[in-house]
Amino acid sequence: MKLFVLKEPKWEHRVSVTPDAAKFLSKFGSILVEKSAGERAGFSDDDYKSVGCVIVKQRDIGDADVVFGIGPIRCLDSVNGWTIIICLQEPYENRENLRLAKEKNLAMFSLELIPRSTRAQYMDVLSSQSSLAGYKAAIESAHFLRKGLPLMMTTAGTVPAAKVLVIGAGVAGLQAIATAKRLGAIVSAFDVRTSAKEQVESIGAKFVEVESVESEDGIYATEMTASYQTAQEAKLRSVIPAQDIIITTAQIPGKKAPIIIKKDMVATMKRGSVLIDLASKTGGNCELTKHGETVSEHGVLIISFDNILNLIAYDASRLFAKNVSAFFELLSKEMEKTKNLSQIEEEIIKSTLLTFDGEIVNEKFKGVCL
Ligand code: NAD
Protein backbone atom coordinates (compact mmCIF):
# COMPACT_ATOMS: atom_id res chain seq x y z
CA MET A 1 0.00 0.00 0.00
CA LYS A 2 1.29 3.51 -0.86
CA LEU A 3 0.43 6.34 1.53
CA PHE A 4 0.87 9.85 0.12
CA VAL A 5 1.43 12.97 2.26
CA LEU A 6 0.42 16.14 0.44
CA LYS A 7 2.17 19.48 0.52
CA GLU A 8 -0.53 21.99 1.41
CA PRO A 9 -1.18 25.23 -0.51
CA LYS A 10 0.80 28.31 0.49
CA TRP A 11 -1.84 29.61 2.92
CA GLU A 12 -1.66 26.41 4.99
CA HIS A 13 1.54 25.90 7.00
CA ARG A 14 0.57 22.65 8.69
CA VAL A 15 1.35 19.18 7.38
CA SER A 16 -0.98 16.24 7.95
CA VAL A 17 1.70 13.63 8.68
CA THR A 18 4.88 14.49 10.59
CA PRO A 19 8.04 12.33 10.48
CA ASP A 20 7.09 10.65 13.79
CA ALA A 21 3.64 9.82 12.45
CA ALA A 22 5.16 8.63 9.15
CA LYS A 23 7.32 6.21 11.12
CA PHE A 24 4.19 4.86 12.84
CA LEU A 25 2.24 4.65 9.56
CA SER A 26 5.06 2.87 7.74
CA LYS A 27 3.80 -0.43 9.20
CA PHE A 28 0.86 -0.10 6.79
CA GLY A 29 2.89 0.58 3.64
CA SER A 30 5.46 2.86 2.02
CA ILE A 31 5.18 6.58 2.72
CA LEU A 32 5.52 9.02 -0.17
CA VAL A 33 5.96 12.60 0.96
CA GLU A 34 5.55 15.49 -1.46
CA LYS A 35 8.72 17.59 -1.59
CA SER A 36 8.86 20.28 1.16
CA ALA A 37 5.51 19.11 2.60
CA GLY A 38 6.62 19.73 6.19
CA GLU A 39 8.94 22.70 5.59
CA ARG A 40 6.63 25.46 6.87
CA ALA A 41 5.72 23.46 9.96
CA GLY A 42 9.37 22.86 10.83
CA PHE A 43 9.97 19.36 9.37
CA SER A 44 12.55 19.00 6.59
CA ASP A 45 12.62 16.46 3.77
CA ASP A 46 15.67 14.93 5.49
CA ASP A 47 13.59 14.40 8.66
CA TYR A 48 11.14 12.36 6.58
CA LYS A 49 13.92 10.51 4.75
CA SER A 50 15.51 9.56 8.07
CA VAL A 51 12.39 7.51 8.93
CA GLY A 52 12.27 5.80 5.54
CA CYS A 53 9.90 8.07 3.57
CA VAL A 54 10.41 8.67 -0.14
CA ILE A 55 10.28 12.31 -1.28
CA VAL A 56 8.18 12.66 -4.43
CA LYS A 57 6.52 15.27 -6.66
CA GLN A 58 2.82 16.10 -6.58
CA ARG A 59 2.23 14.36 -9.90
CA ASP A 60 3.15 11.06 -8.17
CA ILE A 61 -0.16 11.28 -6.30
CA GLY A 62 -1.58 9.07 -9.06
CA ASP A 63 0.37 6.14 -7.52
CA ALA A 64 -1.22 6.55 -4.11
CA ASP A 65 -3.69 4.19 -2.43
CA VAL A 66 -4.26 6.63 0.41
CA VAL A 67 -3.82 10.43 0.42
CA PHE A 68 -3.45 12.42 3.64
CA GLY A 69 -4.00 16.17 3.72
CA ILE A 70 -5.06 18.93 6.07
CA GLY A 71 -7.81 20.75 4.21
CA PRO A 72 -9.90 20.05 1.13
CA ILE A 73 -7.59 18.56 -1.49
CA ARG A 74 -7.11 20.72 -4.55
CA CYS A 75 -5.69 18.11 -6.89
CA LEU A 76 -8.42 15.45 -6.76
CA ASP A 77 -8.33 15.42 -10.56
CA SER A 78 -4.90 13.76 -10.48
CA VAL A 79 -5.92 11.10 -7.96
CA ASN A 80 -6.77 7.62 -9.25
CA GLY A 81 -10.24 6.20 -8.81
CA TRP A 82 -10.82 4.18 -5.60
CA THR A 83 -8.10 6.07 -3.70
CA ILE A 84 -8.80 6.68 0.00
CA ILE A 85 -8.71 10.39 0.89
CA ILE A 86 -8.35 11.46 4.52
CA CYS A 87 -8.49 15.16 5.46
CA LEU A 88 -10.78 17.97 6.61
CA GLN A 89 -13.13 18.23 3.62
CA GLU A 90 -15.30 21.16 4.73
CA PRO A 91 -18.23 19.06 3.48
CA TYR A 92 -20.87 21.68 4.26
CA GLU A 93 -19.15 24.29 2.08
CA ASN A 94 -17.05 22.35 -0.41
CA ARG A 95 -19.58 20.68 -2.67
CA GLU A 96 -17.19 20.59 -5.63
CA ASN A 97 -14.87 18.07 -3.95
CA LEU A 98 -17.89 15.99 -2.96
CA ARG A 99 -19.00 15.93 -6.58
CA LEU A 100 -15.50 15.00 -7.81
CA ALA A 101 -15.12 12.29 -5.17
CA LYS A 102 -18.41 10.76 -6.23
CA GLU A 103 -17.55 11.00 -9.91
CA LYS A 104 -14.12 9.42 -9.41
CA ASN A 105 -15.28 6.61 -7.08
CA LEU A 106 -13.06 7.89 -4.30
CA ALA A 107 -13.37 6.70 -0.71
CA MET A 108 -13.45 10.17 0.82
CA PHE A 109 -13.25 10.56 4.61
CA SER A 110 -14.04 13.89 6.21
CA LEU A 111 -12.35 14.30 9.58
CA GLU A 112 -14.86 17.00 10.66
CA LEU A 113 -17.42 14.22 10.93
CA ILE A 114 -15.59 12.22 13.60
CA PRO A 115 -18.10 11.89 16.47
CA ARG A 116 -17.44 14.08 19.52
CA SER A 117 -17.41 11.03 21.80
CA THR A 118 -14.92 9.99 24.46
CA ARG A 119 -13.87 6.96 22.40
CA ALA A 120 -13.13 9.11 19.35
CA GLN A 121 -11.26 11.79 21.29
CA TYR A 122 -7.79 10.65 20.30
CA MET A 123 -8.72 11.00 16.60
CA ASP A 124 -10.67 14.24 16.98
CA VAL A 125 -8.77 16.79 14.87
CA LEU A 126 -11.40 19.47 15.51
CA SER A 127 -10.61 19.30 19.22
CA SER A 128 -6.84 19.20 18.94
CA GLN A 129 -6.76 22.08 16.47
CA SER A 130 -9.39 24.18 18.28
CA SER A 131 -7.53 23.77 21.51
CA LEU A 132 -4.35 25.20 19.99
CA ALA A 133 -6.36 27.97 18.28
CA GLY A 134 -7.86 28.98 21.63
CA TYR A 135 -4.44 29.02 23.28
CA LYS A 136 -2.93 31.09 20.49
CA ALA A 137 -5.86 33.53 20.48
CA ALA A 138 -5.23 34.30 24.14
CA ILE A 139 -1.49 34.72 23.55
CA GLU A 140 -2.04 36.98 20.53
CA SER A 141 -4.60 39.09 22.37
CA ALA A 142 -2.02 39.67 25.12
CA HIS A 143 0.50 40.59 22.44
CA PHE A 144 -1.72 43.24 20.85
CA LEU A 145 -3.05 44.71 24.12
CA ARG A 146 -0.96 47.64 25.22
CA LYS A 147 -1.48 46.66 28.86
CA GLY A 148 -0.19 43.90 31.10
CA LEU A 149 -2.44 40.96 31.94
CA PRO A 150 -1.55 40.11 35.53
CA LEU A 151 -1.88 42.39 38.52
CA MET A 152 1.59 43.84 39.12
CA MET A 153 2.52 45.89 42.15
CA THR A 154 5.66 47.90 41.58
CA THR A 155 7.27 50.78 43.46
CA ALA A 156 6.16 52.99 40.56
CA GLY A 157 2.53 51.99 40.91
CA THR A 158 0.10 49.17 40.33
CA VAL A 159 -0.74 47.60 36.99
CA PRO A 160 -4.28 46.26 37.35
CA ALA A 161 -5.16 42.82 36.04
CA ALA A 162 -6.72 42.90 32.57
CA LYS A 163 -10.28 41.72 32.06
CA VAL A 164 -10.93 39.06 29.42
CA LEU A 165 -14.31 37.91 28.15
CA VAL A 166 -14.54 34.69 26.14
CA ILE A 167 -17.72 34.13 24.12
CA GLY A 168 -18.36 30.50 23.26
CA ALA A 169 -16.94 27.99 25.73
CA GLY A 170 -16.36 25.00 23.43
CA VAL A 171 -12.91 23.50 22.97
CA ALA A 172 -11.22 26.71 21.73
CA GLY A 173 -13.03 28.90 24.24
CA LEU A 174 -12.07 26.74 27.22
CA GLN A 175 -8.42 26.75 26.18
CA ALA A 176 -8.51 30.54 25.67
CA ILE A 177 -9.98 30.90 29.17
CA ALA A 178 -7.34 28.63 30.71
CA THR A 179 -4.51 30.47 28.93
CA ALA A 180 -5.77 33.95 29.87
CA LYS A 181 -6.11 32.75 33.48
CA ARG A 182 -2.52 31.48 33.45
CA LEU A 183 -1.42 34.88 32.14
CA GLY A 184 -3.05 36.45 35.19
CA ALA A 185 -6.16 38.06 33.69
CA ILE A 186 -9.60 38.21 35.29
CA VAL A 187 -11.63 35.99 32.98
CA SER A 188 -15.33 35.58 32.39
CA ALA A 189 -17.11 33.61 29.70
CA PHE A 190 -20.47 32.63 28.38
CA ASP A 191 -22.09 30.08 26.13
CA VAL A 192 -25.61 29.11 25.20
CA ARG A 193 -25.06 25.53 26.36
CA THR A 194 -25.99 24.98 30.00
CA SER A 195 -23.23 22.39 30.47
CA ALA A 196 -20.60 25.04 29.67
CA LYS A 197 -21.22 26.83 32.99
CA GLU A 198 -19.70 24.05 35.07
CA GLN A 199 -16.73 23.71 32.71
CA VAL A 200 -16.05 27.46 32.76
CA GLU A 201 -16.24 27.61 36.54
CA SER A 202 -14.07 24.53 36.96
CA ILE A 203 -11.16 26.37 35.31
CA GLY A 204 -11.61 29.39 37.54
CA ALA A 205 -13.53 31.81 35.31
CA LYS A 206 -16.83 33.51 36.01
CA PHE A 207 -19.80 32.37 33.92
CA VAL A 208 -21.89 35.22 32.53
CA GLU A 209 -25.53 34.23 32.97
CA VAL A 210 -28.07 35.32 30.37
CA GLU A 211 -31.50 35.88 31.89
CA SER A 212 -33.60 33.74 29.59
CA VAL A 213 -35.61 30.59 29.99
CA GLU A 214 -34.07 29.20 26.83
CA SER A 215 -30.70 27.57 26.64
CA GLU A 216 -29.12 24.62 24.91
CA ASP A 217 -28.23 21.32 26.42
CA GLY A 218 -27.00 19.38 23.37
CA ILE A 219 -23.43 18.85 22.25
CA TYR A 220 -23.64 21.47 19.53
CA ALA A 221 -25.43 24.80 19.78
CA THR A 222 -28.21 25.61 17.33
CA GLU A 223 -29.48 29.01 16.22
CA MET A 224 -31.09 30.80 19.14
CA THR A 225 -34.50 32.47 19.04
CA ALA A 226 -34.93 36.22 18.73
CA SER A 227 -35.95 36.51 22.41
CA TYR A 228 -32.79 34.70 23.56
CA GLN A 229 -30.67 36.90 21.31
CA THR A 230 -32.26 40.01 22.84
CA ALA A 231 -31.55 38.78 26.39
CA GLN A 232 -27.99 37.83 25.41
CA GLU A 233 -27.40 41.24 23.82
CA ALA A 234 -28.70 43.07 26.89
CA LYS A 235 -26.38 41.08 29.15
CA LEU A 236 -23.40 41.61 26.89
CA ARG A 237 -24.05 45.34 26.65
CA SER A 238 -23.66 45.49 30.42
CA VAL A 239 -20.36 43.58 30.60
CA ILE A 240 -18.53 44.61 27.41
CA PRO A 241 -17.46 48.15 28.44
CA ALA A 242 -15.34 46.75 31.29
CA GLN A 243 -13.33 44.33 29.12
CA ASP A 244 -9.79 44.79 27.83
CA ILE A 245 -9.88 41.68 25.65
CA ILE A 246 -12.76 39.81 24.05
CA ILE A 247 -12.19 36.46 22.36
CA THR A 248 -15.14 35.13 20.37
CA THR A 249 -15.41 31.49 19.32
CA ALA A 250 -19.18 30.91 18.91
CA GLN A 251 -20.03 28.59 16.03
CA ILE A 252 -22.89 26.47 14.82
CA PRO A 253 -21.74 23.52 12.66
CA GLY A 254 -22.80 23.87 9.02
CA LYS A 255 -24.21 27.40 9.56
CA LYS A 256 -23.01 30.98 9.56
CA ALA A 257 -21.58 32.05 12.92
CA PRO A 258 -24.00 34.12 15.02
CA ILE A 259 -23.37 37.88 15.13
CA ILE A 260 -23.04 38.53 18.84
CA ILE A 261 -21.14 41.82 19.00
CA LYS A 262 -22.76 44.54 16.95
CA LYS A 263 -21.05 47.67 15.63
CA ASP A 264 -22.46 49.94 18.31
CA MET A 265 -21.36 47.52 21.03
CA VAL A 266 -17.76 47.89 19.80
CA ALA A 267 -18.16 51.64 20.28
CA THR A 268 -18.74 51.04 24.01
CA MET A 269 -15.46 49.13 24.40
CA LYS A 270 -12.45 50.80 25.99
CA ARG A 271 -9.97 52.46 23.65
CA GLY A 272 -6.97 50.17 23.16
CA SER A 273 -8.97 47.02 23.83
CA VAL A 274 -8.63 44.00 21.58
CA LEU A 275 -11.22 41.67 20.09
CA ILE A 276 -10.06 38.42 18.49
CA ASP A 277 -12.71 36.70 16.41
CA LEU A 278 -11.99 33.00 15.97
CA ALA A 279 -15.30 32.47 14.18
CA SER A 280 -14.36 34.70 11.24
CA LYS A 281 -14.12 31.89 8.68
CA THR A 282 -17.85 31.30 9.00
CA GLY A 283 -18.72 35.02 9.06
CA GLY A 284 -17.51 36.07 12.51
CA ASN A 285 -19.20 36.86 15.82
CA CYS A 286 -18.52 40.59 15.52
CA GLU A 287 -20.27 42.70 12.92
CA LEU A 288 -17.02 44.53 12.13
CA THR A 289 -14.84 41.45 11.62
CA LYS A 290 -13.11 41.08 8.28
CA HIS A 291 -11.74 37.58 7.82
CA GLY A 292 -7.94 37.56 7.78
CA GLU A 293 -7.68 41.28 8.54
CA THR A 294 -7.20 43.63 11.47
CA VAL A 295 -9.73 46.42 11.66
CA SER A 296 -9.43 49.43 13.95
CA GLU A 297 -12.72 51.05 15.02
CA HIS A 298 -13.28 53.46 17.93
CA GLY A 299 -9.72 52.69 19.07
CA VAL A 300 -10.52 48.96 19.31
CA LEU A 301 -8.55 46.38 17.35
CA ILE A 302 -10.77 43.73 15.81
CA ILE A 303 -8.45 40.94 14.76
CA SER A 304 -9.16 37.94 12.62
CA PHE A 305 -6.51 35.51 11.44
CA ASP A 306 -6.69 33.88 8.08
CA ASN A 307 -5.45 30.71 9.77
CA ILE A 308 -4.32 31.14 13.37
CA LEU A 309 -2.96 27.59 13.36
CA ASN A 310 -0.21 28.73 10.99
CA LEU A 311 1.23 30.56 14.00
CA ILE A 312 1.59 27.29 15.85
CA ALA A 313 2.04 25.02 12.83
CA TYR A 314 4.63 22.72 14.43
CA ASP A 315 2.46 21.59 17.32
CA ALA A 316 -0.74 21.77 15.29
CA SER A 317 0.82 19.37 12.76
CA ARG A 318 2.06 17.03 15.50
CA LEU A 319 -1.40 16.76 17.06
CA PHE A 320 -3.17 16.52 13.70
CA ALA A 321 -0.78 13.75 12.62
CA LYS A 322 -1.35 11.84 15.88
CA ASN A 323 -5.13 12.05 15.37
CA VAL A 324 -4.91 11.00 11.74
CA SER A 325 -2.59 8.07 12.53
CA ALA A 326 -5.03 6.79 15.16
CA PHE A 327 -7.85 7.15 12.66
CA PHE A 328 -5.94 5.26 9.97
CA GLU A 329 -5.01 2.48 12.38
CA LEU A 330 -8.69 1.96 13.20
CA LEU A 331 -9.63 2.13 9.52
CA SER A 332 -7.00 -0.50 8.61
CA LYS A 333 -8.25 -2.81 11.35
CA GLU A 334 -11.81 -2.45 10.09
CA MET A 335 -10.75 -2.92 6.45
CA GLU A 336 -9.10 -6.20 7.38
CA LYS A 337 -12.38 -7.40 8.85
CA THR A 338 -14.62 -6.10 6.06
CA LYS A 339 -13.17 -5.79 2.60
CA ASN A 340 -15.94 -3.45 1.43
CA LEU A 341 -15.58 -0.02 3.06
CA SER A 342 -19.26 0.79 2.80
CA GLN A 343 -20.12 -2.24 4.92
CA ILE A 344 -18.03 -1.15 7.90
CA GLU A 345 -20.40 -0.71 10.83
CA GLU A 346 -17.81 0.74 13.24
CA GLU A 347 -19.34 4.07 14.31
CA ILE A 348 -16.32 6.38 13.90
CA ILE A 349 -15.44 5.10 10.43
CA LYS A 350 -19.05 4.96 9.28
CA SER A 351 -19.88 8.50 10.32
CA THR A 352 -16.71 9.89 8.70
CA LEU A 353 -17.02 8.24 5.26
CA LEU A 354 -18.56 10.65 2.76
CA THR A 355 -18.34 8.92 -0.60
CA PHE A 356 -17.67 5.39 -1.79
CA ASP A 357 -18.14 3.54 -5.07
CA GLY A 358 -19.62 6.55 -6.86
CA GLU A 359 -22.21 7.30 -4.14
CA ILE A 360 -22.58 9.69 -1.25
CA VAL A 361 -22.87 7.16 1.56
CA ASN A 362 -23.00 9.50 4.55
CA GLU A 363 -26.49 9.90 6.03
CA LYS A 364 -25.95 13.63 6.68
CA PHE A 365 -25.10 14.35 3.04
CA LYS A 366 -27.22 11.88 1.08
CA GLY A 367 -29.44 13.85 -1.26
CA VAL A 368 -27.42 17.11 -1.25
CA CYS A 369 -27.47 18.99 -4.54
CA LEU A 370 -24.14 18.80 -6.36
P1 NAD B 1 -18.09 24.89 18.17
O1 NAD B 1 -16.80 25.29 17.56
O2 NAD B 1 -19.15 24.31 17.32
O3 NAD B 1 -18.73 26.20 18.91
C1 NAD B 1 -18.00 26.88 19.90
C2 NAD B 1 -18.90 27.23 21.05
O4 NAD B 1 -19.78 28.28 20.68
C3 NAD B 1 -19.80 26.08 21.52
O5 NAD B 1 -19.53 25.82 22.88
C4 NAD B 1 -21.21 26.61 21.29
O6 NAD B 1 -22.12 26.17 22.27
C5 NAD B 1 -20.99 28.11 21.38
N1 NAD B 1 -22.05 28.93 20.81
C6 NAD B 1 -22.76 28.76 19.65
N2 NAD B 1 -23.64 29.76 19.48
C7 NAD B 1 -23.48 30.62 20.53
C8 NAD B 1 -24.07 31.85 20.89
N3 NAD B 1 -25.04 32.40 20.16
N4 NAD B 1 -23.66 32.44 22.03
C9 NAD B 1 -22.69 31.89 22.78
N5 NAD B 1 -22.06 30.74 22.50
C10 NAD B 1 -22.47 30.10 21.37
O7 NAD B 1 -17.85 23.94 19.43
P2 NAD B 1 -16.70 22.86 19.68
O8 NAD B 1 -15.59 23.47 20.40
O9 NAD B 1 -16.43 22.15 18.42
O10 NAD B 1 -17.44 21.90 20.70
C11 NAD B 1 -18.73 21.42 20.37
C12 NAD B 1 -19.22 20.47 21.40
O11 NAD B 1 -18.52 19.24 21.38
C13 NAD B 1 -19.14 20.98 22.82
O12 NAD B 1 -20.33 20.63 23.45
C14 NAD B 1 -17.98 20.21 23.38
O13 NAD B 1 -18.07 20.08 24.79
C15 NAD B 1 -18.16 18.90 22.69
N6 NAD B 1 -16.95 18.08 22.63
C16 NAD B 1 -16.97 16.85 23.22
C17 NAD B 1 -15.85 16.05 23.17
C18 NAD B 1 -15.85 14.70 23.82
O14 NAD B 1 -15.03 13.93 23.61
N7 NAD B 1 -16.76 14.33 24.61
C19 NAD B 1 -14.72 16.49 22.50
C20 NAD B 1 -14.75 17.73 21.90
C21 NAD B 1 -15.86 18.52 21.95
Side-chain angles (χ1 to χ4, degrees):
M1 190 184 275
K2 285 184 177 160
L3 314 182
F4 190 98
V5 181
L6 261 180
K7 180 181 177 191
E8 302 296 324
K10 63 176 187 304
W11 57 83
E12 177 57 76
H13 294 189
R14 290 170 293 170
V15 62
S16 54
V17 175
T18 58
D20 274 354
K23 195 170 163 191
F24 172 83
L25 289 169
S26 61
K27 65 183 175 195
F28 300 107
S30 51
I31 316 283
L32 313 179
V33 179
E34 189 178 336
K35 192 171 167 33
S36 309
E39 206 65 57
R40 281 169 297 182
F43 306 100
S44 68
D45 286 349
D46 284 344
D47 293 335
Y48 285 100
K49 280 193 213 159
S50 73
V51 291
C53 302
V54 181
I55 305 300
V56 295
K57 300 217 161 79
Q58 193 182 89
R59 63 168 181 261
D60 298 316
I61 201 167
D63 295 338
D65 300 296
V66 183
V67 175
F68 293 102
I70 296 273
I73 292 174
R74 292 173 315 141
C75 49
L76 279 188
D77 273 333
S78 327
V79 174
N80 270 335
W82 306 101
T83 305
I84 295 175
I85 311 284
I86 301 174
C87 65
L88 288 162
Q89 293 292 350
E90 299 180 355
Y92 295 102
E93 301 95 37
N94 194 334
R95 293 290 151 85
E96 177 54 16
N97 266 14
L98 202 54
R99 193 190 59 74
L100 266 174
K102 189 172 165 229
E103 201 175 280
K104 296 199 71 169
N105 295 324
L106 303 179
M108 165 113 92
F109 286 93
S110 184
L111 296 171
E112 290 94 338
L113 302 174
I114 288 181
R116 309 308 285 272
S117 62
T118 309
R119 200 171 73 81
Q121 246 173 355
Y122 64 110
M123 306 171 204
D124 183 356
V125 292
L126 287 189
S127 286
S128 68
Q129 305 302 293
S130 293
S131 204
L132 292 176
Y135 158 79
K136 203 63 185 170
I139 298 290
E140 289 299 311
S141 68
H143 170 73
F144 282 102
L145 187 72
R146 285 167 295 180
K147 296 177 179 174
L149 262 67
L151 171 73
M152 283 183 269
M153 307 241 241
T154 78
T155 49
T158 299
V159 175
K163 289 201 169 129
V164 176
L165 172 68
V166 176
I167 297 178
V171 181
L174 289 173
Q175 194 57 250
I177 296 168
T179 307
K181 283 285 300 175
R182 277 184 228 127
L183 293 173
I186 299 169
V187 187
S188 55
F190 99 100
D191 197 294
V192 289
R193 289 178 301 108
T194 41
S195 54
K197 180 176 191 294
E198 200 186 316
Q199 290 173 315
V200 165
E201 288 174 348
S202 73
I203 48 174
K206 183 172 179 283
F207 192 73
V208 176
E209 306 267 3
V210 171
E211 287 84 20
S212 168
V213 285
E214 294 161 53
S215 57
E216 287 278 310
D217 59 2
I219 285 209
Y220 284 115
T222 52
E223 277 165 312
M224 301 310 286
T225 63
S227 76
Y228 181 90
Q229 285 172 21
T230 309
Q232 174 179 291
E233 189 176 318
K235 186 70 198 188
L236 279 181
R237 283 187 187 279
S238 71
V239 297
I240 279 178
Q243 307 303 321
D244 298 294
I245 291 171
I246 299 181
I247 297 171
T248 65
T249 74
Q251 307 237 41
I252 301 165
K255 298 248 160 75
K256 201 173 168 302
I259 295 281
I260 297 176
I261 303 199
K262 295 187 177 156
K263 261 186 210 167
D264 66 324
M265 290 156 92
V266 173
T268 69
M269 289 174 70
K270 288 188 231 173
R271 287 193 79 75
S273 53
V274 172
L275 187 154
I276 294 203
D277 195 339
L278 281 190
S280 59
K281 201 169 173 196
T282 50
N285 296 138
C286 174
E287 212 172 0
L288 293 170
T289 298
K290 288 208 175 104
H291 181 59
E293 290 181 29
T294 295
V295 176
S296 177
E297 284 277 344
H298 310 290
V300 178
L301 283 184
I302 299 138
I303 301 168
S304 138
F305 296 93
D306 194 26
N307 182 0
I308 196 167
L309 292 163
N310 281 350
L311 305 178
I312 188 163
Y314 180 84
D315 279 327
S317 303
R318 281 183 51 246
L319 301 193
F320 190 103
K322 270 275 204 195
N323 294 146
V324 113
S325 304
F327 178 81
F328 190 71
E329 188 175 37
L330 176 68
L331 175 61
S332 303
K333 217 188 269 171
E334 291 299 320
M335 283 198 300
E336 258 172 46
K337 283 195 241 159
T338 321
K339 300 293 172 217
N340 185 336
L341 265 178
S342 68
Q343 279 165 16
I344 294 179
E345 284 302 322
E346 198 289 324
E347 191 217 346
I348 299 172
I349 302 298
K350 194 175 172 172
S351 38
T352 314
L353 184 61
L354 268 180
T355 61
F356 182 69
D357 196 9
E359 298 292 337
I360 296 180
V361 291
N362 193 289
E363 288 303 328
K364 284 189 186 155
F365 294 89
K366 272 183 186 167
V368 297
C369 290
L370 296 178

